[in-house]
Each structure stands twice: as C-alpha cells, then as structure tokens.
Amino acid sequence: MCVAVPAEVIEKKDGNIGVVDYGELKQEVRLDLVDVEIGEFVLVHVGFAIQKLSREEGLSTRELFKEVYAAMEE
C-alpha cells in the first residue's frame, strides 16, 4: 500500500524544489509534477508533490493522520 501525506508549501527554491510543512516536520520535496504556490497544500509521496489539495482538505486530512498516529501509540 502506498501513502501520500498532505503538506503545506512554505517555500519555493530553484530547480523545482519546495519546502513543505507536514505540521511538525519540514522537508524539501520535488515540485515537478504540480504547479503550486506558497501556502497551497499538496499530497507528497516518496519526495514528490503529486497532487494539489484545497486548504480545507489538506488540514482535515492532516488531522486524520494525527488521530491515526495517536491511536497507534495507545
């Protein structure tokens, strides 16, 4: 099974590289597959932003991931 994680684009760099914020982690990802601006949400899979999300969808999906991780820790 493959999982893509929602993240907010917080910086764009040369060479189609962006910095995204997962909520508690920031990471550089490739932006070759999507046309995004700072502040937009994307799904990230294996280091590539593969799809744009609405802000609402990105935040709600991020919250679901937090709930799943919390349940796994119990």
Side-chain angles (χ1 to χ4, degrees), residues 1-63:
M1 178 173 91
C2 298
V3 176
V5 181
E8 181 178 4
V9 178
I10 59 171
E11 183 181 346
K12 289 177 77 173
K13 298 181 175 185
D14 291 336
N16 284 332
I17 296 174
V19 178
V20 297
D21 182 0
Y22 294 101
E24 296 179 16
L25 170 72
K26 294 175 179 59
Q27 179 182 27
E28 285 189 350
V29 299
R30 299 292 309 188
L31 301 175
D32 302 289
L33 305 175
V34 293
D35 182 24
V36 294
E37 299 299 325
I38 293 173
E40 292 185 305
F41 275 76
V42 292
L43 284 177
V44 179
H45 178 65
V46 296
F48 284 82
I50 60 171
Q51 179 181 334
K52 286 180 18 175
L53 298 174
S54 70
R55 182 167 193 80
E56 179 181 318
E57 189 175 17
L59 291 172
S60 65
T61 305
R62 181 188 286 176
E63 189 59 36

